[in-house]
C-alpha cells in the first residue's frame, strides 16, 4: 500500500525515546522545578491501626524554612479519593482521605503534611510533628473472620464478588474425582525504580491548576481533580514528562497528588513532592495477595467438570481508585485456556491494616494463573496423568473460537477471539526441545541434582477500549506530529506509535513527534494500562494517519495533475508510483498549500491534519505458554532458574525488539514474585520489607536470558492492524511455571502452594516430606 | 540545620561554586545546586546504583557521599559521557541493543560500565555480569544491558 | 531520606582526628571513612551523629603492610584493595576470595575493611574473617592506644568494645602458615547481599591430620565468632566426610541463631550445618 519508509510496522528500529535518556537529559518528576516552590513532606502513621488522638504541628510550623503544616482539619472540605470508574456507593465508606481523619489504618497512612523551602528542612520539620495515636488491634489476615471497619459497624469484608455459571454443586456431586488445594500468592508489587513524584502549580494568570509528574491516566485524573476541587475541566491540566516505570502502581490518584494540588491552590506557590524509597514501599499500592481454596471436579479421564474457587483478596487499608477491579478480574479470567463446563468463583473483598492494594502488571492474572495451573498439576498428579496431557485434554480448541463465557473482565463479557492454545504449547515444547530436556533432567537427577521443568498456560487480555482518538498533523517543514491521549511509562510507546503513523503515512518514523500525557493538547484519553496502548491508541493513530494520507494524495493529485491512484508517498514525498524521477511534491509543500490563505485550499478544511478514532466493543485475548527449568540447592533451599521460555501470541508485532523487551522485563518481575519479593508484616502490622535490602528485587545475577517464541499466527480480528498487546505477557505465567518446575526438581508433587518460594520454604517442604 | 560551606565541585571538567550544608549528599548537590539532573535517586541508601557517578575514575554511589567530601576530586556524570554531539560507545550500544526502557536506571549503569571498562577493557563475561549485578533495573530484565556493555567493551578494546 | 544535620570535620592527621573524637564523643561524634554502612543509617535517620569526623584525608591511615608476622590493615584501606592478593601466601588468597562476597563493586571502592569491623554488622564478611583469624584490633584515642582481640571486640549487633572517643586505626591479621588451607562459604538471597549465614574454615595438614583448625561463623548469631565446639571436633582428625559432618553438626548445635519474621532459627541452623561442611570440603580440596 505505502512505499518504502523507515520504521514500518514489524521492524525492530531503535527507539526515538532513547537519545535524551542516554544523555541524562530526561525530565523525570524529580527534575521538574518552579521558582518559589515549596517542598512537601508527609507525616505518616507509625501504627497499623489506631484512633487519632491528636496531631500537633505547632513545633513543626516554628522550624526554620517551614511555610505551613497541615492536618486533616486544614483540608476538611476536600472529599476522599473516588473510584476511577465513577461512583460505587457500597464502597464509598472505604475510601481514603488525603490526610487521615479519625483513624489510621496502615503504617504509612498520611496524617499530616509539612511544606518547607527544601526537602531537607521539610523532613526535619516532619519529625517535629507530634502524632498521638491510641493503638488498636491490627487485622492482618485477609482470610480470618472479618472485623469492624468503622464505628458505624461496617464490616472489613467490603463485598463478596461472585461470578460463575452452570450447576456447580451437581457437577461435584456426580464427579469421579474431586481435587482440592489451598494456594497463596504473597504480597508484592511493581516497585519501579523511580519513586512517585508530583508537582502542583496554580497558574493564577490563567486560572489553571497544573499537576506535573502525571502518568498512566492523565485525563481520568484530571476529571477527578476537577471534581474534587470544583473547577471546570479547562481549569485543570496534567503534564506527563519522563516516567521511570509504572507497572500499574504509578499514575493512580493518590493522597499526595491531591495534597500538592490543594496546597498549590491555597498557597499560590508551586508545591513539589518526591517520595523517598522508605515511603514508597509502604505508601505506593501493593498487590497480588490472595488466598485461594479451589476445588475441581473431574471425570475418569481428567476432564474438568467444574471448578469452584473461594478466595480472599487482601485489599489492605482502603479501597483506592481501582475499586474491585482486581478481584473481579481474578474471577473472570481464572478458567484460562481450559473448558470449564460449570464454574463458581467467590471472591471475598477484605480490608486489612496493610498498605492498600491495587493493580500491578497482569493483575488478577499472575494470581489466577498460579492458582489454576497448580490445580491442573494437582489433577494430573492425583490421576497419574502427564501434566501436559491433562492440559491438552482440557484446552479450548481453535474450532471452539470465538469462545464466549458468561463472565466479566474489566466490564467486558469474556470472549476469546482466536488462537490455538495447544498449537502454541506444541511449538513451545518443540522450541525448548522438551523430550531431550526431559531426558537430560532425569539423568542429572539420577546423579543427585535437584533439577526440574514446569509449564504454565494462560490467556491474557488486552486492548481495553471502548474508544481512543488521535490527531496527526504535518507542518510546512514536513515534520509530523501525532497527538494522543496515551501515556508513556518507558515501554516504547512513542516509537510504536511513530512506526504505525509512519507506515500509514509514508514517512520516516524519526520524523514523527509523538505527544502523550498532556491534557492541554487533546481533550480525551484513556492513558496507557491494561496492555491497551498499542492496540487502541495505535489503531486510532493509524486511522488518523490514513485520513491525512488520503487528504495529502487528494491535494497532490491536483498539484501534480495526476490521477490519485497513480500516486504514492515515500519518505514524505508524493510522486507517481511508476516513475522514480518526474514531478513530485513533499508533504510539507502540501501542508503549505493547505494554509487558510491559499487558493490551493479549495473547499477543504485548512491544514494537513486529521483526527482519527478507533472504537472497540471487545478486548482481545492473546495467549501464552511459559516453560521453566530450575535447579535447587537442597542444602540452602535456593532456587536458580536455568532456562526460561516464553511463547506468546502477539497478533502482530509493531516492533519485535520492543515486544521482546517488554516480555523480558515482565519475566524479571514475575521471577521476583515467584522467588524473592514479599511485603512482610510483623504481628503488630509493622512492615518489615521497607528497604531494598529487605524487599529483594532480582539482579543481573538472578535473571537469566529468556528464550522467546513470538507467534503472529492469529492476528486480532478486532482492530485493522491485527495487534494484541504484550505489556503483561512476560509476567503472567511465571509463578505457575516456576512452581511446577520446583515440584519436578524436588520430585514432590504439589510441593509449592505458596509464593514466593523462598529458600526457607523450600527447606521446610523438604523437611516435611522427610 | 547547620551552616553552609562554600565548596567547589568539578563535574565533567567544569567548576561549580556552591554553598551547602555538610549533610547535603553529593547526589542532591550534583542534581540541584549544579543542575545536572541526569544522575538519579532510586533509593538513597546505596542499593540500587541509579546515582552512580565516577569519582576520580571509579564508580561510586553519589547518595552515600556528602558533597563536602568531593571537593578537589574529578566527578564525571552521564552528561559528560558524550564528546559534544558524539555519543560514547556505551550510549550508542545501549540504544542499539534496547538496553533501556524507562531510562531511570540508565545513567547509573552507563557510569558503572564506563568506570569499569576504562579500567579493565578486557573484562571477562562472568566478571562483567557480576559488576552489572551491582545495579538494579526494573524494566529490561538485564540481558540487553549485558549485551550492550559487552558490545561497547569490544568496540573500546578495538579502538585502543 | 535526608540525613539529620551534623557538624563536619576533615582532619589531616591522626592526632587531629583523635582530638576531635575526644572533644565530640559526648555529642555522638562518629568517624566517617567509607560511609557505605554509616550513611544509609543516617539516611534512615537511625543514626544521627552530631559530628562527623571524616578521616578520608589522612594518608597515614591508607596503609597495608606485613610486619611482625601480621598483616596490618590501616583504617582507610578500601575493600577493593583486596581484589588482588595483598600478600603472598594463604592470607592474601583468603582475603581476595572473601572480598568477592563483600557487597558490590562500587561499594568496594569506598567502603573500608576497618570500617566494616567498627560497624559490626553480624553479617559482614570481614567480621567473620576477623573472628576466625583472631584479629587484633588497634584502638587509638588521644591518650594512647590499646589492642583488642577479636573475641573481645564484637559484643553484639552493631556493638563493639570501642569507646566513643576511640578510632579503630588498624587491624592486624596473622600471616597464616604457608600450608594453611581455607574455604569460605556464604549464603545470601542475592549476589552481594548480607549473608544469612557464612562459614570460614582453615586448617593445616600435619601427617594427614588437621591442625590449627579455625572455624569462623558469621551472619547466624548476633556477632561473628570462632566456634570452638566445631574446631574441637576436628583438631587432630583426618579430613573427610564423617569428620566434617560431625563438625557441622557441632556448629549447628552450638549457635544461638538470630530470628526474625522472615528467617527462623531452625533455618539458620540448617544453613550453618550445610555451610560449615561445605567450607571444610573447600578447604580440603
Amino acid at each position: 500500500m505505502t512505499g518504502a519508509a523507515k520504521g514500518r510496522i514489524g521492524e525492530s528500529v531503535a527507539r526515538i525515546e532513547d537519545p535524551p535518556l542516554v544523555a541524562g537529559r530526561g525530565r523525570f518528576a524529580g527534575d521538574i522545578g518552579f521558582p518559589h516552590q515549596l517542598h512537601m513532606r508527609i507525616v505518616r502513621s507509625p501504627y497499623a491501626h489506631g484512633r487519632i488522638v491528636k496531631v500537633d504541628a505547632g513545633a513543626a510550623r516554628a522550624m526554620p524554612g517551614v511555610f505551613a503544616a497541615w492536618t486533616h482539619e486544614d483540608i476538611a472540605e476536600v472529599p476522599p479519593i473516588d473510584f476511577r470508574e465513577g461512583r460505587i456507593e457500597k464502597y464509598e465508606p472505604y475510601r481514603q482521605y488525603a490526610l487521615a481523619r479519625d483513624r489510621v489504618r496502615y503504617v504509612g497512612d498520611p496524617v499530616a503534611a509539612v511544606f518547607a523551602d527544601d526537602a531537607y528542612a521539610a523532613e526535619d520539620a516532619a519529625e517535629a510533628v507530634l502524632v498521638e495515636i491510641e493503638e488498636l488491634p491490627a487485622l492482618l489476615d485477609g482470610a480470618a473472620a472479618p472485623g469492624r471497619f468503622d464505628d458505624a459497624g461496617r464490616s472489613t469484608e467490603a463485598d463478596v464478588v461472585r461470578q460463575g455459571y452452570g450447576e456447580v454443586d451437581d457437577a461435584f456431586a456426580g464427579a469421579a474425582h474431586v481435587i482440592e488445594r489451598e494456594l497463596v500468592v504473597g504480597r508484592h508489587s511493581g516497585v519501579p525504580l523511580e519513586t512517585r513524584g508530583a508537582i502542583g502549580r496554580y497558574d493564577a494568570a490563567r486560572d489553571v491548576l497544573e499537576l506535573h509528574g502525571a502518568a498512566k491516566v492523565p485525563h481520568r485524573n484530571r476529571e477527578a481533580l476537577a471534581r474534587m476541587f470544583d473547577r471546570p475541566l479547562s481549569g485543570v491540566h496534567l503534564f506527563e514528562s519522563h516516567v521511570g516505570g509504572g507497572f500499574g502502581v504509578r499514575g493512580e490518584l493518590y493522597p499526595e497528588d491531591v495534597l500538592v494540588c490543594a496546597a498549590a491552590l491555597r498557597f499560590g506557590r508551586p508545591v513539589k513532592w518526591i517520595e523517598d524509597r522508605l515511603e514508597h514501599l509502604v505508601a505506593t499500592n501493593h498487590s497480588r495477595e490472595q488466598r485461594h481454596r479451589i476445588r475441581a471436579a473431574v471425570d475418569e479421564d481428567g476432564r474438568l467438570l467444574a471448578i469452584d474457587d473461594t478466595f480472599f483478596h487482601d485489599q489492605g487499608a482502603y479501597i483506592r481508585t481501582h475499586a474491585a477491579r482486581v478481584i473481579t478480574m481474578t474471577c473472570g479470567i481464572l478458567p484460562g485456556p481450559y473448558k470449564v463446563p460449570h464454574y463458581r468463583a467467590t471472591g471475598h473483598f477484605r480490608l486489612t491494616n496493610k498498605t492498600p492494594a491495587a493493580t500491578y502488571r497482569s493483575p488478577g492474572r499472575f494470581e489466577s494463573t498460579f492458582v489454576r495451573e497448580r490445580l491442573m498439576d494437582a489433577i494430573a498428579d492425583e490421576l497419574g496423568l502427564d501434566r501436559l496431557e491433562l492440559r491438552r485434554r482440557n484446552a479450548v480448541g481453535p474450532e471452539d473460537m470465538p469462545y464466549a463465557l458468561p463472565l466479566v473482565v474489566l466490564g467486558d463479557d469474556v470472549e476469546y477471539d482466536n488462537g490455538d492454545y495447544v498449537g502454541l504449547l506444541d511449538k513451545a515444547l518443540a522450541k525448548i526441545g522438551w523430550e531431550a530436556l526431559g531426558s537430560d533432567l532425569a539423568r542429572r537427577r539420577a546423579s543427585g541434582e535437584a533439577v526440574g521443568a514446569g509449564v504454565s498456560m494462560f490467556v491474557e487480555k488486552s486492548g481495553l477500549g471502548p474508544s481512543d482518538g488521535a490527531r496527526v498533523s504535518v507542518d510546512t517543514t514536513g515534520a509530523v506530529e501525532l497527538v494522543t491521549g496515551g501515556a508513556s511509562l518507558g515501554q516504547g510507546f512513542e516509537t510504536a506509535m511513530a512506526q504505525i503513523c509512519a507506515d500509514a503515512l509514508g514517512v520516516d518514523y524519526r520524523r514523527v513527534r509523538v505527544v502523550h500525557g498532556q491534557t492541554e493538547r487533546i481533550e480525551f484519553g484513556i492513558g496507557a494500562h491494561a496492555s491497551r496502548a498499542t492496540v487502541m491508541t495505535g489503531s486510532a493513530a493509524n486511522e488518523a494517519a490514513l485520513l491525512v494520507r488520503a487528504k495529502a494524495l487528494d491535494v497532490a493529485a491536483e498539484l501534480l495533475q495526476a490521477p490519485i491512484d497513480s500516486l504514492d508517498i515515500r519518505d514524505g514525498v508524493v510522486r507517481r508510483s511508476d516513475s522514480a524521477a518526474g514531478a513530485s511534491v513533499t508533504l510539507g509543500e502540501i501542508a503549505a498549500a493547505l494554509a487558510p490563505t491559499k487558493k490551493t485550499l479549495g473547499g477543504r478544511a485548512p491544514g494537513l491534519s486529521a483526527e482519527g478514532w478507533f472504537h472497540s466493543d471487545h478486548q482481545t485475548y492473546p495467549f501464552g505458554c511459559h516453560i521453566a527449568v530450575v535447579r535447587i540447592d537442597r542444602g540452602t533451599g535456593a532456587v536458580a532458574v536455568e532456562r526460561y521460555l516464553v511463547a506468546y501470541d502477539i497478533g502482530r508485532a509493531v516492533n519485535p525488539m520492543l515486544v521482546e523487551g517488554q516480555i523480558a522485563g515482565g519475566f524479571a518481575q514475575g521471577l521476583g514474585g515467584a522467588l524473592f519479593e514479599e511485603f512482610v508484616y510483623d504481628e503488630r502490622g509493622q512492615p518489615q520489607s521497607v528497604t531494598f535490602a529487605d524487599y529483594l528485587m532480582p539482579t543481573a545475577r538472578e535473571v537469566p536470558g529468556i528464550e522467546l517464541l513470538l507467534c503472529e499466527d492469529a492476528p486480532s480480528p478486532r482492530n485493522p492492524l491485527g495487534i494484541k498487546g504484550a505489556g503483561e505477557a512476560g509476567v503472567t505465567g511465571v509463578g505457575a511455571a516456576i512452581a511446577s518446575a520446583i515440584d519436578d526438581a524436588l520430585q514432590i508433587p504439589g510441593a509449592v502452594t505458596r509464593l514466593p518460594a523462598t529458600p526457607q520454604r523450600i527447606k521446610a517442604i523438604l523437611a516435611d516430606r522427610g | 540545620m547547620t551552616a553552609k560551606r562554600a565548596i567547589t565541585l568539578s563535574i565533567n571538567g567544569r567548576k561549580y561554586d556552591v554553598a551547602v550544608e555538610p549533610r547535603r549528599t553529593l547526589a542532591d548537590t550534583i542534581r540541584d545546586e549544579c543542575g545536572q539532573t541526569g544522575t538519579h535517586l532510586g533509593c538513597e541508601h546505596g542499593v540500587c546504583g541509579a546515582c552512580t557517578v565516577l569519582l576520580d575514575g571509579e564508580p561510586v554511589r553519589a547518595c552515600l557521599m556528602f558533597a563536602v567530601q568531593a571537593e578537589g576530586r574529578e566527578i564525571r556524570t552521564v552528561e559528560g559521557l558524550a564528546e559534544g554531539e558524539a555519543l560514547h560507545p556505551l550510549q550508542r550500544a545501549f540504544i542499539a541493543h534496547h538496553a533501556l526502557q524507562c531510562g531511570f536506571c540508565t545513567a547509573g549503569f552507563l557510569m558503572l560500565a564506563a568506570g569499569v571498562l576504562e579500567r579493565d577493557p578486557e573484562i571477562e563475561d562472568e566478571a562483567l555480569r557480576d559488576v552489572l549485578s551491582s545495579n538494579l533495573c526494573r524494566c529490561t530484565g538485564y540481558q540487553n544491558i549485558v549485551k550492550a556493555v559487552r558490545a561497547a567493551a569490544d568496540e573500546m578494546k578495538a579502538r585502543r | 531520606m535526608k540525613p539529620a544535620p551534623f557538624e563536619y570535620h576533615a582532619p589531616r592527621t591522626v592526632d587531629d582526628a583523635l582530638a576531635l573524637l575526644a572533644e565530640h564523643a559526648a555529642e555522638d561524634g562518629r568517624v566517617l571513612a567509607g560511609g557505605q554502612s554509616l550513611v544509609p543509617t543516617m539516611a534512615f535517620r537511625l543514626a544521627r551523629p552530631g559530628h562527623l569526623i571524616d578521616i578520608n584525608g589522612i594518608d597515614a591511615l591508607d596503609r597495608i603492610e606485613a610486619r611482625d608476622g601480621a598483616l596490618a590493615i590501616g583504617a582507610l584501606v578500601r575493600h577493593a584493595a583486596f581484589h588482588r592478593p595483598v600478600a603472598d601466601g594463604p592470607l592474601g588468597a583468603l582475603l581476595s576470595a572473601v572480598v568477592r562476597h563483600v557487597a558490590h563493586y562500587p561499594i568496594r571502592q569506598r567502603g573500608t575493611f576497618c570500617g566494616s569491623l567498627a560497624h559490626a554488622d553480624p553479617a559482614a564478611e570481614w567480621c567473620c574473617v576477623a573472628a576466625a583469624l583472631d584479629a587484633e584490633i588497634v584502638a587509638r584515642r588521644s591518650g594512647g592506644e590499646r589492642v583488642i582481640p577479636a573475641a573481645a571486640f564484637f559484643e553484639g549487633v552493631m556493638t563493639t568494645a570501642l569507646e566513643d572517643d576511640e578510632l579503630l586505626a588498624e587491624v592486624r591479621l596473622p600471616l597464616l602458615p604457608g600450608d594453611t588451607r581455607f574455604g569460605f562459604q556464604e549464603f545470601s538471597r542475592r549476589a552481594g547481599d548480607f549473608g544469612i549465614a557464612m562459614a570460614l574454615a582453615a586448617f593445616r595438614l600435619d601427617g594427614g591430620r588437621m591442625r590449627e583448625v579455625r572455624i569462623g561463623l558469621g551472619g547466624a548469631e548476633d556477632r561473628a565468632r570462632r566456634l570452638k565446639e566445631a574446631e574441637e571436633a576436628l583438631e587432630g582428625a583426618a579430613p573427610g566426610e564423617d569428620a566434617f559432618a560431625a563438625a557441622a553438626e557441632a556448629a549447628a548445635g552450638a549457635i544461638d541463631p538470630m530470628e526474625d519474621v522472615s528467617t527462623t532459627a531452625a533455618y539458620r541452623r540448617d544453613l550453618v550445618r550445610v555451610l560449615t561442611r561445605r567450607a571444610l570440603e573447600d578447604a580440603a580440596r
Side-chain angles (χ1 to χ4, degrees), chain A residues 168-197:
Chain A
V168 172
D169 296 323
D170 290 347
F172 272 92
H177 300 275
V178 171
I179 290 92
E180 264 187 66
R181 287 294 183 270
E182 184 155 335
L183 299 159
V184 177
V185 180
R187 197 176 197 80
H188 61 287
S189 197
V191 190
L193 210 51
E194 182 199 14
T195 56
R196 290 182 294 139

Side-chain angles (χ1 to χ4, degrees), chain B residues 7 10 41 120 147:
Chain B
I7 60 170
S10 176
L41 297 175
D120 183 9
K147 280 185 205 152

Side-chain angles (χ1 to χ4, degrees), chain A residues 15 22 120 124 677 698, chain B residues 23 28 91 101 126 138 142:
Chain A
R15 298 195 327 166
V22 296
Y120 285 66
D124 294 340
E677 297 173 39
Chain B
R23 63 169 167 163
D28 279 337
Q91 290 168 313
Q101 291 184 26
E126 268 312 288
R138 200 54 169 159
Y142 302 105

Side-chain angles (χ1 to χ4, degrees), chain A residues 7-205:
Chain A
R8 308 199 49 198
I9 293 176
E11 290 178 12
S12 291
V13 291
R15 298 195 327 166
I16 55 182
E17 291 90 333
D18 289 355
L21 292 172
V22 296
R25 291 201 212 113
R27 201 155 174 264
F28 296 87
D31 309 330
I32 295 170
F34 295 101
H36 308 300
Q37 70 188 2
L38 292 164
H39 290 257
M40 182 174 83
R41 176 80 180 171
I42 304 289
V43 179
R44 299 181 183 277
S45 170
Y47 295 113
H49 192 202
R51 269 183 224 285
I52 299 176
V53 175
K54 187 170 68 163
V55 183
D56 184 349
R61 287 190 191 103
M63 286 180 67
V66 175
F67 180 83
W70 279 358
T71 65
H72 178 85
E73 283 67 54
D74 294 290
I75 46 161
E77 76 285 0
V78 179
I81 297 172
D82 226 334
F83 311 113
R84 234 214 277 151
E85 302 303 318
R87 291 199 64 184
I88 307 171
E89 272 187 58
K90 61 180 167 173
Y91 297 154
E92 282 175 2
Y94 303 97
R95 292 172 303 174
Q96 184 175 20
Y97 283 92
L99 290 175
R101 192 173 57 172
D102 312 306
R103 287 200 199 195
V104 291
R105 297 182 178 281
Y106 63 105
V107 173
D109 203 349
V111 296
V114 175
F115 304 90
D117 291 338
D118 78 74
Y120 285 66
E123 193 167 337
D124 294 340
E127 286 191 314
V129 174
L130 291 170
V131 180
E132 208 184 306
I133 289 174
E134 179 204 320
E135 203 179 351
L136 294 170
L139 178 56
L140 301 168
D141 184 356
R148 284 166 58 108
F149 180 77
D150 57 19
D151 291 330
R154 287 187 186 87
S155 172
T156 58
E157 176 164 276
D159 200 0
V160 180
V161 176
R162 300 175 203 278
Q163 292 209 50
Y165 52 83
E167 304 299 325
V168 172
D169 296 323
D170 290 347
F172 272 92
H177 300 275
V178 171
I179 290 92
E180 264 187 66
R181 287 294 183 270
E182 184 155 335
L183 299 159
V184 177
V185 180
R187 197 176 197 80
H188 61 287
S189 197
V191 190
L193 210 51
E194 182 199 14
T195 56
R196 290 182 294 139
I199 302 96
R201 180 170 177 258
Y202 176 60
D203 180 345

Side-chain angles (χ1 to χ4, degrees), chain A residues 347-360:
Chain A
H348 293 267
F349 199 21
R350 295 280 177 89
L351 281 294
T352 59
N353 295 115
K354 302 177 197 167
T355 304
T359 57
Y360 163 36

